[in-house]
Amino acid sequence: MKKIIMRLALVLVCMAVAWGAVLPAGSEAADQPRVEKKAAANGPASVELGAPVVDKASILTKAQVEKLTEKIKAVEEKHQVRIGIYTLKNLPSGMKAGKLANNVLDEHYAGGQNGSIVFLIAMGSRDWYISTDNTMRQRIVDGVGIDGLKDMFLEDLSDGNYAESFGAFVDGVDKYLTYYEETGEPYDPANEFSYTAAAVAVLLALFAAWAFRGGLISSMSNVNPASEASAYLTQGSFHLSRNQDTFLYTTVTRVAKSKNDDSSSSSCSDSSHGGGGGKF
């Protein structure tokens, strides 16, 4: 009987030891997925929230994102603004690029001391849109301001040089904001046109043409000026016998005026946002 009790005790001790060894491993394995899931859920969201570059379309390399981020942060600090570059594969169903860009600005990039601006592109529909808040709108105005930025980045964007295109956009924003801070008014390409320089150029061109013409005339030995028009007509070589005008018919051709379908003029501006966009 004593032997049976000792054997039962030994079995219970072995089971206790085995259970103690299994329980920590099992609980750790059970808790691990929750930890990993939480990290996976919080990681990307915290990176994307207000990040200078959010590349949901995956068109940039990690090195390109880091370089753009560094450039954007330098311009943000220089002018006390918020700048965002936001790419995605497709627009949500029924959503326009301009409306989405406005929402992205309000949710993730609002609060720039001197304004906020977001550059959004949708790869599926080939849409681009620049959204500004009202503070930035005073510095980069709708129309000439947005079109000026477009001219800086659109060619590279259409050619698939996305990093270069985004870099040109950031450089353009820097240029426009610097101009505003120095002059107190938004940049307008027309301001760079000098009427004085244009007038001087016209005068120089006229003088050069007059001098060239005079040189050609002076080199012609068989031509002399005539004081009367009759000198150019051989006497007796022309006789007008009859003078009559006959009306035949009139042809009228009407061509429909083509409508301007320039996608770059599309805008979702409202009381709180400026900007514009188009196709690339």
Side-chain angles (χ1 to χ4, degrees):
M1 184 68 180
K2 186 182 292 186
K3 291 182 178 181
I4 295 175
I5 294 175
M6 292 180 62
R7 289 177 180 176
L8 288 174
L10 183 60
V11 170
L12 291 175
V13 171
C14 292
M15 291 178 63
V17 173
W19 180 259
V22 173
L23 182 59
S27 61
E28 183 179 356
D31 292 339
Q32 187 65 24
R34 286 200 296 263
V35 174
E36 291 178 353
K37 184 176 181 181
K38 184 177 180 181
N42 292 336
S46 62
V47 171
E48 291 186 1
L49 184 61
V53 181
V54 179
D55 185 24
K56 290 188 175 182
S58 300
I59 58 176
L60 300 172
T61 65
K62 182 179 179 181
Q64 290 172 336
V65 170
E66 292 175 350
K67 185 176 180 180
L68 276 171
T69 298
E70 184 178 353
K71 173 178 283 194
I72 290 174
K73 287 184 177 180
V75 176
E76 286 180 332
E77 184 176 355
K78 177 181 178 182
H79 302 287
Q80 297 300 302
V81 297
R82 292 293 308 278
I83 302 173
I85 294 176
Y86 198 93
T87 78
L88 68 162
K89 293 181 179 179
N90 295 293
L91 293 171
S93 179
M95 178 75 74
K96 292 184 177 180
K99 180 63 177 176
L100 180 59
N102 293 344
N103 293 344
V104 169
L105 186 150
D106 292 340
E107 294 174 7
H108 302 304
Y109 299 94
Q113 180 178 336
N114 292 322
S116 300
I117 185 170
V118 168
F119 182 21
L120 177 145
I121 68 168
M123 296 301 298
S125 56
R126 308 287 291 180
D127 281 298
W128 67 268
Y129 197 90
I130 297 173
S131 176
T132 59
D133 64 6
N134 279 337
T135 304
M136 183 67 73
R137 195 179 195 176
Q138 299 174 8
R139 293 158 171 75
I140 302 178
V141 298
D142 300 348
V144 294
I146 299 299
D147 287 343
L149 285 179
K150 176 197 70 175
D151 292 339
M152 298 179 191
F153 67 75
L154 188 59
E155 184 176 353
D156 278 328
L157 188 62
S158 300
D159 292 341
N161 302 322
Y162 302 115
E164 291 79 359
S165 176
F166 297 148
F169 164 76
V170 177
D171 290 338
V173 171
D174 182 26
K175 175 182 178 181
Y176 279 32
L177 294 178
T178 300
Y179 183 89
Y180 181 86
E181 292 164 2
E182 292 176 350
T183 65
E185 59 183 15
Y187 176 80
D188 185 348
N191 294 336
E192 294 185 348
F193 181 79
S194 173
Y195 290 97
T196 302
V200 171
V202 170
L203 291 176
L204 290 176
L206 291 175
F207 175 78
W210 174 80
F212 183 72
R213 176 179 177 274
L216 290 177
I217 293 176
S218 62
S219 64
M220 298 172 66
S221 59
N222 60 341
V223 177
N224 295 314
S227 58
E228 297 181 0
S230 59
Y232 296 98
L233 181 65
T234 302
Q235 297 296 327
S237 63
F238 176 74
H239 299 282
L240 182 63
S241 60
R242 184 178 179 182
N243 185 9
Q244 180 179 355
D245 292 332
T246 303
F247 177 77
L248 298 178
Y249 55 85
T250 300
T251 301
V252 178
T253 302
R254 292 183 174 88
V255 179
K257 184 178 180 181
S258 60
K259 296 182 179 180
N260 185 8
D261 191 24
D262 185 4
S263 60
S264 65
S265 63
S266 63
S267 175
C268 287
S269 300
D270 52 36
S271 60
S272 301
H273 304 89
K279 299 287 185 179
F280 62 93

